[in-house]
């Protein structure tokens, strides 16, 4: 392993084992529309994105917080490619733990059915 590979591995943040993730934690992570947008953008484009490549209506520091919440909830995996922190949706792992949950979530649009009776 080269020094660059070791450095990239050392900078990779920890990720929870998918078997330790609770539905409560996932729901709390996805209650925020910015985080749902991140998940949708990853799913729609079928590729990994650098943190700065997302179309988000928040500052860089706030986006960093949202990525952290999603990673801790087990929804995304982050790794380094050069100097960029890349994000990938843990779709297959997540679907084994919560079958059908993400496809159902991703099929809904924000505000489509918010339960307020309007």
């Amino acid at each position: 392993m080269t020094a660059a590979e070791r450095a990239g591995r050392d900078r990779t943040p920890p990720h929870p084992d998918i078997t330790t993730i609770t539905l409560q934690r996932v729901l709390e992570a996805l209650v925020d529309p910015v985080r749902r947008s991140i998940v949708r953008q990853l799913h729609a484009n079928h590729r990994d994105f650098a943190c700065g490549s997302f179309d988000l209506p928040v500052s860089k520091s706030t986006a960093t917080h949202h990525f952290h919440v999603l990673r801790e909830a087990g929804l995304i995996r982050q790794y380094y490619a050069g100097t960029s922190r890349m994000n990938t949706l843990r779709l297959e792992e997540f679907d084994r733990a919560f079958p059908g949950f993400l496809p159902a979530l991703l099929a809904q649009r924000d505000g489509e059915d918010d339960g307020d009776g309007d």
Side-chain angles (χ1 to χ4, degrees):
M1 180 181 305
T2 68
E5 289 170 330
R6 277 192 306 277
R9 185 179 305 203
D10 293 342
R11 295 186 309 166
T12 299
H15 297 88
D17 185 308
I18 201 73
T19 61
T20 66
I21 301 302
T22 64
L23 183 57
Q24 180 68 32
R25 189 175 213 176
V26 172
L27 292 173
E28 288 170 0
L30 292 173
V31 73
D32 188 280
V34 172
R35 293 192 285 267
R36 287 193 307 274
S37 174
I38 292 169
V39 170
R40 283 194 177 103
Q41 288 179 57
L42 283 169
H43 184 263
N45 290 289
H46 305 287
R47 66 182 179 91
D48 300 354
F49 272 90
C51 289
S53 299
F54 288 85
D55 181 22
L56 301 175
V58 296
S59 69
K60 183 178 177 181
S61 63
T62 301
T64 298
H65 165 74
H66 288 302
F67 289 117
H68 174 81
V69 171
L70 289 171
R71 187 182 73 242
E72 290 298 314
L75 287 157
I76 66 170
R77 182 171 299 283
Q78 294 184 306
Y79 64 94
Y80 276 91
T83 59
S84 297
R85 186 178 272 196
M86 303 299 291
N87 300 275
T88 187
L89 191 59
R90 294 174 71 178
L91 189 57
E92 289 179 17
E93 291 173 274
F94 199 83
D95 201 44
R96 282 193 301 273
F98 302 100
F101 178 81
L102 276 180
L105 170 82
L106 295 168
Q108 293 294 312
R109 293 187 331 183
D110 284 341
E112 196 169 282
D113 182 13
D114 57 15
D116 67 1
D118 292 333

